[in-house]
Amino acid sequence: MAFNFKIINCDENIKELFPVTENAVTYKKLEIALSVPCLNGNFYDESENSVTGRFVGPDGISFEFPGFYYEPYDFRSTGELLGHSAEKGGWRIRVMLPESGKWRLEITARHKGSICAEALCEFNAAEGTDFRGVIGVEPTVKRNFAFQNGELYIPIGQNLCWHKPVSAKEKQARYINRVISSGSDYGMNFVRLWMMYWGLSIKTQNCAPNDFSGGQSNAAQLDRVFDKLAERDVYASLVFFTHGDFSTIADSHWFECPYNAVNPHGYLERPQDFWTDDHAKRDAKSYMRYLIARYGYSRNIMTWELFNEADGVDGRDYVASAAWHSEMSEYIRSIDPYKHMISTSACYTDGKIARHKDMDFTFIHCYNYPEIDYALSFQRKDWENQKRPSIFGEIGFMNFKPHIRESLIAPHMSNWAGVMGGSAASGMTWYWEQFDEADGYSIYAPLSKFAAKIPWLDATLKQVTTADFNCNDDRVRIIGYTGSGFAYLWLYDNKLSPDKENYTDFKEFKFRFPVLNGEYILEWTETRGGNIVKTETVKAENGILAAAAPEWRGDIALAVKEKK
C-alpha cells in the first residue's frame, strides 16, 4: 500500500509540513516534521507551547500523542557527533501505528493554551512484518513479560547507564551502540539506560528544569540509540531520575541538578522538596512528557523507570515519595497511548518503594550478597507476596577483583539465578564497563537458548528448589522449574560466591525427584559455552526419576523432557 501522504487542510501558521520517514508501516516509527512560527518562547514547556497529533485510523481506532521540539545535529558515518546542523530546528511528531489502512492526522498547535495553528493530513499505512507490539506483564500467570501478541519476553542483559569514553572518539551514543551490538550478537535483549548529566541527559545545570535546549545534542544521540535498539531487537528501561540528583549524601550530584536553588534557574532549597513542591512536579511532568513524546513511539521501551533508587533521596520520606510515584505514573498513563510499563527501584533489596502498588513490576537491587541463595530469597518472596514479575535491576559485588572480572563468575551466576530462580529476567549486572573490557558478552548465549526451551505458560509449571530433590551431596543446590512431562534445572556449587572461586569437581553427583512414570530424555548443558555434554534416556519408575550428572564444576544445567 502506497504511503500517499496528503495535506488536506493547513492554515498559514504551519509551514513545511512533511513526513520524515519514507513510509508508514505498522509497529515502525512514523515521523512527521513541521514548522510553526506562531509558537515562541520555551518550546519545552507544554503550558507555553505545544503541538499535538490526533491519529484516527481504520475501524474508528484513534489516539492522541504529543509532539516535541527538535534541533538537528550532524554525525560522522562512524557515529561521532559533529555538531549542530545548518538546518533550523522545528517540531516533530513520532508515533507507532497499530493497524494498516487509511489514517487521518489532525495537528493542533497551542501557544499559552490557545490554538494558534491546525492542519489535517491523510495517509496510508502498510502492514509490517513484526506484529508483536509493546511489552507488558504476561496476563495469565503474571510472572513473566509478554508482547501484545502473546509471545513471551525474557529479559537477559545488563545495565548500560552511561557511556564510558574508552577513547577520545568512542563517546556516548557510539559506545552505547557498540555494546548493544556486541551483546545482542549473543542473545542480550535488555539494557538499562540512565539520563545522567555526564551521559545523555536532556537536563542541564544552567537551564531551567523545564528547558531542554541545553540537552538537544544528547537527545540527538539518544535518537541513534533507539534506532540501534530497534535494529538489534533489544529493549530498554529508560530511567528518568536517579537518587544522586536529589541527595547530598549518596552518590550526590545535587550541585549539578537544575532544580537546586544555587543554580541559575533552580528553586529547591532541599533535595527532598522535589517530592512535594508543586513547581517541581510540574517541571518533572514536562520532562517526562518530552521524553515520552520523543521516544514513546518505540516498541523498544520496555519500561519507563521513574527513579533509580528513590529511597536514596535525602530525608527518605516514603510517604511523600509514594505519593509522587502515584501522581507521576497516573500522568504517564494519561499521555502514553501505548501503555508501556512503569517501574521504579530502591537502594535496598527489601525497599518498599520498588514494590509500590502503581508499578507494573518490581526492580530489586542487590549488592555484596554473601552467596547467591541470599539474593534468590528475595525473588521468591516477591512472587509469593505480590504475584507480579520481579527483576534484579542491579546486582553485583562491589569488591570487583581482577580475577572475578576475568572469570565473570559474578554476572554468570546472577544471570542464571535470575532466570532459573523465579525472577522474570536475568540479574542485570552493574559492572558494564568491566564486563565490556572482559568482552564477556558470550555468557548470554547459553542462558538465552536454555530459557527459550522452558514452557513458561504451561499450567503445570512450578518453581522448585533443592528441598524438592533427594541429593547425594549437600554442597549442591538445585533451582528451576518442573511440570507435567518436563523439568528445567540449574545445579550449582553452593560454595561458589562472587568474591571467591572455590571450585569443586563433582564427579558422581546424583539426585532423585518425583515425576510421572515413563521414559525421559535428559540433556545436560555446560552453562559457559552452551555445549550439550550428555544426553541419555532414563526410565522413571514408582513415580521417581533418578538422574546422574556428568562430571562438572561450578554449575551445570539440565533439561528433562518426556519421551513421546
Side-chain angles (χ1 to χ4, degrees), residues 268-293:
L268 295 183
E269 298 295 338
R270 304 184 308 164
Q272 58 265 45
D273 292 337
F274 177 75
W275 299 130
T276 56
D277 185 90
D278 288 337
H279 189 179
K281 288 193 284 186
R282 286 195 304 272
D283 286 348
K285 289 176 182 177
S286 292
Y287 168 63
M288 294 177 190
R289 185 182 188 275
Y290 186 86
L291 290 172
I292 291 168

Side-chain angles (χ1 to χ4, degrees), residues 104-403:
R104 186 173 77 249
L105 167 58
E106 302 164 0
I107 299 174
T108 304
R110 290 179 172 85
H111 181 61
K112 297 184 178 178
S114 299
I115 296 175
C116 67
E118 294 179 295
L120 175 63
C121 310
E122 289 183 350
F123 60 91
N124 296 319
E127 194 76 54
T129 57
D130 190 335
F131 305 101
R132 290 174 296 171
V134 172
I135 296 168
V137 174
E138 187 281 314
T140 304
V141 181
K142 300 182 179 180
R143 189 168 201 156
N144 296 98
F145 302 110
F147 295 96
Q148 285 171 296
N149 73 342
E151 180 182 327
L152 281 179
Y153 169 67
I154 308 298
I156 294 175
Q158 62 183 71
N159 282 271
L160 186 54
C161 299
W162 54 80
H163 71 285
K164 178 185 177 184
V166 176
S167 69
K169 293 183 178 180
E170 190 177 51
K171 294 182 179 180
Q172 300 192 48
R174 184 180 176 185
Y175 171 79
I176 291 171
N177 284 353
R178 180 180 60 75
V179 171
I180 290 170
S181 295
S182 297
S184 60
D185 281 344
Y186 294 98
M188 182 189 81
N189 61 10
F190 174 89
V191 291
R192 188 164 170 259
L193 303 171
W194 288 17
M195 300 293 95
M196 296 300 297
Y197 303 123
W198 56 85
L200 293 179
S201 176
I202 64 170
K203 305 189 305 293
T204 51
Q205 183 175 0
N206 294 319
C207 289
N210 67 345
D211 175 6
F212 315 119
S213 58
Q216 287 301 295
S217 64
N218 285 342
Q221 293 188 79
L222 197 57
D223 288 348
R224 298 173 74 88
V225 171
F226 273 91
D227 289 342
K228 180 61 69 174
L229 291 170
E231 174 193 324
R232 288 293 184 146
D233 201 28
V234 175
Y235 299 81
S237 172
L238 191 65
V239 184
F240 291 150
F241 296 100
T242 183
H243 63 291
D245 294 347
F246 302 100
S247 173
T248 58
I249 303 168
D251 305 316
S252 177
H253 35 91
W254 170 238
F255 178 77
E256 295 99 329
C257 180
Y259 292 84
N260 189 338
V262 303
N263 288 319
H265 303 280
Y267 46 82
L268 295 183
E269 298 295 338
R270 304 184 308 164
Q272 58 265 45
D273 292 337
F274 177 75
W275 299 130
T276 56
D277 185 90
D278 288 337
H279 189 179
K281 288 193 284 186
R282 286 195 304 272
D283 286 348
K285 289 176 182 177
S286 292
Y287 168 63
M288 294 177 190
R289 185 182 188 275
Y290 186 86
L291 290 172
I292 291 168
R294 191 151 184 161
Y295 306 111
Y297 75 88
S298 177
R299 289 182 54 255
N300 298 88
I301 289 285
M302 177 196 166
T303 178
W304 306 116
E305 188 174 342
L306 297 180
F307 235 97
N308 169 71
E309 300 187 349
D311 52 354
V313 170
D314 279 8
R316 295 190 175 175
D317 186 341
Y318 172 75
V319 173
S321 172
W324 184 91
H325 278 78
S326 290
E327 182 175 342
M328 296 304 152
S329 59
E330 181 180 8
Y331 174 70
I332 289 173
R333 291 184 173 109
S334 75
I335 64 170
D336 179 5
Y338 305 115
K339 306 304 179 188
H340 294 92
M341 292 187 293
I342 301 173
S343 58
T344 196
S345 61
C347 298
Y348 303 101
T349 312
D350 57 355
K352 287 198 299 181
I353 195 63
R355 294 159 176 86
H356 190 287
K357 63 181 178 59
D358 293 329
M359 303 300 104
D360 288 299
F361 63 94
T362 302
F363 260 136
I364 305 171
H365 290 189
C366 186
Y367 286 94
N368 285 358
Y369 45 92
E371 55 187 24
I372 203 67
D373 288 359
Y374 172 82
L376 285 166
S377 67
F378 286 94
Q379 291 183 158
R380 289 192 285 269
K381 288 176 185 176
D382 271 328
W383 172 247
E384 292 166 2
N385 295 335
Q386 298 186 93
K387 295 296 186 285
R388 70 181 188 185
S390 66
I391 295 179
F392 282 120
E394 291 181 20
I395 189 167
F397 206 83
M398 292 182 182
N399 188 11
F400 207 81
K401 298 176 182 177
H403 77 277

Side-chain angles (χ1 to χ4, degrees), residues 512-523:
R512 297 155 57 89
F513 64 103
V515 297
L516 296 175
N517 286 343
E519 286 191 315
Y520 291 83
I521 298 172
L522 277 62
E523 189 177 83

Side-chain angles (χ1 to χ4, degrees), residues 24-78:
V25 178
T26 55
Y27 294 109
K28 297 285 187 181
K29 178 172 65 176
L30 170 64
E31 185 166 350
I32 308 297
L34 63 155
S35 175
V36 192
C38 62
L39 299 181
N40 58 81
N42 184 357
F43 296 137
Y44 308 97
D45 180 354
E46 71 278 10
S47 68
E48 189 170 347
N49 297 288
S50 69
V51 170
T52 304
R54 181 171 182 266
F55 292 79
V56 181
D59 302 321
I61 298 171
S62 67
F63 64 91
E64 193 172 280
F65 206 66
F68 63 94
Y69 192 77
Y70 172 91
E71 291 283 1
Y73 283 81
D74 293 329
F75 291 82
R76 288 193 177 95
S77 59
T78 48

